[in-house]
Amino acid sequence: MKFAYADPPYFKQGKKLYGKLHEEAGVWDSQQSHIDLLARLYLEYSDGFALSCNPADLSWILTKYPDLRVCVWAKTFHQIRPTTVQYAWEPLLLHGGRKDNKRKPMVRDWISCARAMRKGLVGAKPLTFNNWVLDLLNYQEGDIIDDLFPGTNGMADAIALRLAF
């Protein structure tokens, strides 16, 4: 099966967080770029895909793609912001994946783990998160998973570790 994982710069964060790293990072400051990415994911990855996004973006993404399943990454350690209610979770939008209703152990649509630290890139995901994405898609040896925004290569590392055992 062929899957994809996408973790683009979040809406309105491209130029601000990644402008010095990539000359086209500002493209992601447009909602249309994210909508176009989702259209590409549906077209090219009919077996399944997962997309990380900002909770604030759910209202306009789910209006266009209401069939996406919203999964939750609850961060046990997060950046403290000057607000009463902290931002301590991120959605992972899921479409498709290998079906196996008898699979043990089951996979929950949420995970609670610390964020990645000292990876050299804002937004890098921890190994636990990447393994969860692979589990949600029911990734198996021989499958293809395209990491469309590899950043620190965390997804590739998670796959390599799985294949090593």
Side-chain angles (χ1 to χ4, degrees), residues 119-136:
K119 291 284 187 179
L121 188 64
V122 172
K125 302 300 188 274
L127 179 63
T128 302
F129 174 90
N130 289 317
N131 279 323
W132 175 61
V133 171
L134 294 172
D135 288 342
L136 287 169

Side-chain angles (χ1 to χ4, degrees), residues 78 80-87:
H78 56 88
I80 303 298
R81 305 231 182 234
T83 182
T84 303
V85 179
Q86 293 298 305
Y87 297 91

Side-chain angles (χ1 to χ4, degrees), residues 48-112:
F49 63 83
L51 170 77
S52 288
C53 70
N54 187 310
D57 302 339
L58 290 175
S59 62
W60 55 268
I61 291 174
L62 295 175
T63 298
K64 296 211 178 277
Y65 297 100
D67 64 317
L68 289 169
R69 180 158 185 177
V70 179
C71 301
V72 172
W73 170 32
K75 301 174 191 177
T76 56
F77 180 81
H78 56 88
Q79 184 175 10
I80 303 298
R81 305 231 182 234
T83 182
T84 303
V85 179
Q86 293 298 305
Y87 297 91
W89 75 284
E90 286 186 24
L92 178 77
L93 303 179
L94 181 68
H95 176 75
R98 178 180 282 107
K99 304 299 180 214
D100 184 357
N101 296 333
K102 296 178 184 172
R103 182 170 62 161
K104 304 266 188 214
M106 66 180 173
V107 180
R108 298 191 193 295
D109 61 359
W110 61 272
I111 191 168
S112 180

Side-chain angles (χ1 to χ4, degrees), residues 147-160:
D147 185 353
L148 303 183
F149 298 84
T152 60
N153 291 312
M155 186 60 71
D157 292 345
I159 292 169

